Amino acid sequence: MPISQRTQVGIVGAGPAGLVLSHLLHLQGIDSVVIENRSREYSEQRVRAGVLEQGTVDLLTEMGGGERMKKEGLVHYGIELRFGGKGHRIDFQELTGGKGITIYAQHEVLKDLNNARSAAGGQTIFEAENVSVHNLNTSHPKIRYEKDGGAHEVICDFIAGCDGFHGICRPSIPPGVIVEYEREYPFGWLGILAQAPPSSEELIYTYHDRGFALLSMRSPQISRLYLQCAPDENIDDWSDERIWQELQIRLSSPGWALTEGAILQKGVTGMRSFVAEPMQYGRLFLAGDSAHIVPPTGAKGLNLAVADVRVLARALAHFYSTGSQSLLDEYSAKCLRRVWKVQRFSWWMTSMLHRFPDENPFDQRRQLAELDYVTSSRAAAKSLAENYVGLPLE
Ligand SMILES: Cc1cc2nc3c(=O)[nH]c(=O)nc-3n(C[C@H](O)[C@H](O)[C@H](O)COP(=O)(O)OP(=O)(O)OC[C@H]3O[C@@H](n4cnc5c(N)ncnc54)[C@H](O)[C@@H]3O)c2cc1C
């Protein structure tokens, strides 16, 4: 017999979606248990996203987990689009009425959230094995898992599937319920983390004949840089010297220099757009990457995960205070409306800035015209800025 435990909301996955949800529920007096298959150390060291929208920063601050982010995060009020060797700044502050973004690494957000959950007596079970979800269409769905050789089950009122794209929640929904919309891109990103002071105060998105490049950063000492590459690029073919050479070529601009440094980490990430509809089955609610993936060009993945669970936390709080499921019934449609707008933006940024293997000279001229338009028309720049700093949350 498994060791049984009762909670109100069982959450699978201790990524940004799962931990933000757990803490938001706690602040409303709702009990939750988070089940995670990795170790805490692993998730707190894994380098992933780093750009936080204003709405994400505001929510993390309201939740009480924003002190270190306020101190260590880098606030940016613009980005540069570079093409033809020339830079063009998109001024977010001026175009959006004072909004900006904050550069603060995802693993630092996770450290802060894990600390906030521990301080509040929250329960996160790390290194859970063989996690599975059951009875989704009943009023008491269950999460089962194994830990240290013992079998456990958590009996819940609701389950939140916050277990990312490769998790078990979405595949546990019976066939035919979910429609999946997907686009794979014919390229990937080769990303490095380098011990080098960022060569620009703001992010630089570069369109180049040899492919896209992005200069980003994690702190005043650490740069994060990316190169467009083949989706199946073998990282072993890229010596540190070759990576810097290619970055120097693609990012070059008169009077500007790229500072190099020791490469601390490198890897290749594939790029896809994916949406699962609806984001609910019975008492299982999908949130974050378990329901949708965006290509990283718009820096939206983490932000979208946080936006979903904000809607879900409100709907659950409404249920527990009134007994009405009306907001839970609206959850999927409400999230998907925003998800699709963010998908559009991420696809658009990706299409404008990357070279496509099957493109012809017309496509290239069109991309350059688009960049020229975005950087010379206030209306177009304003649209980019509004999306980049984050569309309204609800
Ligand atoms: C290499 C890489 C780079 C990225 N860079 C960027 C970027 O620059 N900008 C950006 O905006 N986004 C980026 N992203 C995307 C961003 O990191 C995600 O959108 C974000 O992490 C989504 O949060 P989430 O909580 O929904 O999912 P996740 O962060 O994936 O969290 C899911 C959690 O569930 C756990 N889990 C999985 N399966 C199980 C299971 N069976 N049982 C229990 N737990 C399970 C996982 O271990 C994980 O902790 C990147 C992603 C990757 C992989």
Side-chain angles (χ1 to χ4, degrees):
M1 280 289 281
I3 301 168
S4 194
Q5 177 183 5
R6 179 81 178 84
T7 190
Q8 289 172 298
V9 182
I11 299 173
V12 185
L19 292 175
V20 169
L21 177 63
S22 174
H23 204 59
L24 285 174
L25 293 175
H26 158 76
L27 295 173
Q28 308 260 12
I30 301 166
D31 185 51
S32 69
V33 175
V34 183
I35 315 287
E36 163 64 46
N37 65 353
R38 299 286 193 159
S39 69
R40 179 167 174 174
E41 295 69 36
Y42 176 87
S43 64
E44 289 186 354
Q45 277 164 24
R46 193 174 178 205
V47 177
R48 294 177 80 182
V51 174
L52 306 183
E53 291 175 357
Q54 185 86 51
T56 304
V57 170
D58 293 345
L59 184 69
L60 293 172
T61 307
E62 277 164 34
M63 284 167 54
E67 262 169 55
R68 206 162 59 91
M69 175 183 66
K70 275 263 171 306
K71 252 191 261 151
E72 296 175 20
L74 310 171
V75 180
H76 288 185
Y77 289 105
I79 54 167
E80 180 180 323
L81 295 180
R82 190 174 281 187
F83 54 100
K86 259 184 84 183
H88 307 260
R89 183 164 188 262
I90 305 289
D91 185 338
F92 295 157
Q93 192 166 33
E94 194 263 324
L95 292 163
T96 65
K99 290 187 189 156
I101 50 160
T102 296
I103 308 296
Y104 189 61
Q106 175 164 336
H107 61 275
E108 302 296 345
V109 173
L110 290 182
K111 281 182 204 166
D112 297 344
L113 288 167
N114 279 325
N115 287 338
R117 293 308 302 125
S118 301
Q123 197 184 356
T124 304
I125 293 149
F126 288 99
E127 296 176 84
E129 292 176 277
N130 296 320
V131 181
S132 57
V133 291
H134 306 269
N135 305 351
L136 302 176
N137 233 343
T138 71
S139 55
H140 289 298
K142 265 184 213 174
I143 304 173
R144 290 208 177 115
Y145 67 95
E146 287 161 24
K147 169 102 182 157
D148 303 327
H152 299 255
E153 67 176 15
V154 186
I155 300 168
C156 322
D157 298 334
F158 300 96
I159 295 178
C162 301
D163 51 345
F165 185 68
H166 299 289
I168 49 93
C169 287
R170 193 180 67 254
S172 304
I173 297 174
V177 173
I178 290 217
V179 180
E180 296 183 349
Y181 300 87
E182 188 164 16
R183 166 180 281 243
E184 283 207 31
Y185 296 86
F187 39 75
W189 277 12
L190 189 162
I192 63 163
L193 200 64
Q195 183 74 50
S199 313
S200 160
E201 272 183 30
E202 296 176 342
L203 277 74
I204 303 176
Y205 286 78
T206 305
Y207 177 90
H208 192 276
D209 281 351
R210 294 167 70 99
F212 170 75
L214 171 62
L215 182 147
S216 175
M217 61 292 291
R218 287 295 178 265
S219 72
Q221 295 80 34
I222 305 282
S223 296
R224 180 95 168 123
L225 296 123
Y226 298 94
L227 287 168
Q228 176 183 351
C229 63
D232 54 354
E233 194 80 44
N234 183 357
I235 193 72
D236 296 334
D237 293 341
W238 287 80
S239 63
D240 293 3
E241 195 192 354
R242 183 177 171 206
I243 292 173
W244 283 118
Q245 253 173 21
E246 192 63 28
L247 284 166
Q248 291 286 4
I249 295 172
R250 293 194 198 177
L251 285 161
S252 78
S253 180
W256 182 86
L258 174 64
T259 311
E260 299 185 9
I263 295 183
L264 307 171
Q265 245 186 58
K266 55 182 167 182
V268 171
T269 316
M271 312 229 326
R272 78 170 80 209
S273 303
F274 172 87
V275 181
E277 287 193 12
M279 290 167 58
Q280 178 200 358
Y281 170 70
R283 288 205 164 198
L284 169 68
F285 293 84
L286 302 177
D289 277 17
S290 76
H292 40 70
I293 296 282
V294 283
T297 327
K300 293 293 173 210
L302 185 160
N303 296 296
L304 211 44
V306 170
D308 286 350
V309 294
R310 185 170 179 271
V311 177
L312 186 54
R314 283 196 177 172
L316 288 164
H318 183 71
F319 170 82
Y320 283 111
S321 62
T322 66
S324 159
Q325 291 221 31
S326 60
L327 293 190
L328 286 168
D329 293 342
E330 289 170 14
Y331 167 74
S332 177
K334 192 174 263 185
C335 288
L336 283 168
R337 213 175 144 213
R338 190 170 184 280
V339 164
W340 274 110
K341 286 185 208 153
V342 174
Q343 287 286 356
R344 182 210 68 83
F345 175 69
S346 303
W347 162 85
W348 173 74
M349 285 282 281
T350 305
S351 311
M352 176 171 68
L353 287 160
H354 290 76
R355 300 297 312 271
F356 284 72
D358 59 351
E359 71 185 17
N360 61 32
F362 176 88
D363 296 317
Q364 209 187 342
R365 287 284 188 279
R366 184 188 48 73
Q367 284 176 314
L368 287 166
E370 182 122 35
L371 284 160
D372 187 10
Y373 177 55
V374 168
T375 52
S376 59
S377 151
R378 184 177 160 79
K382 196 170 169 148
S383 168
L384 189 159
E386 177 185 44
N387 280 276
Y388 202 98
V389 300
L391 293 173
L393 281 170
E394 273 186 68

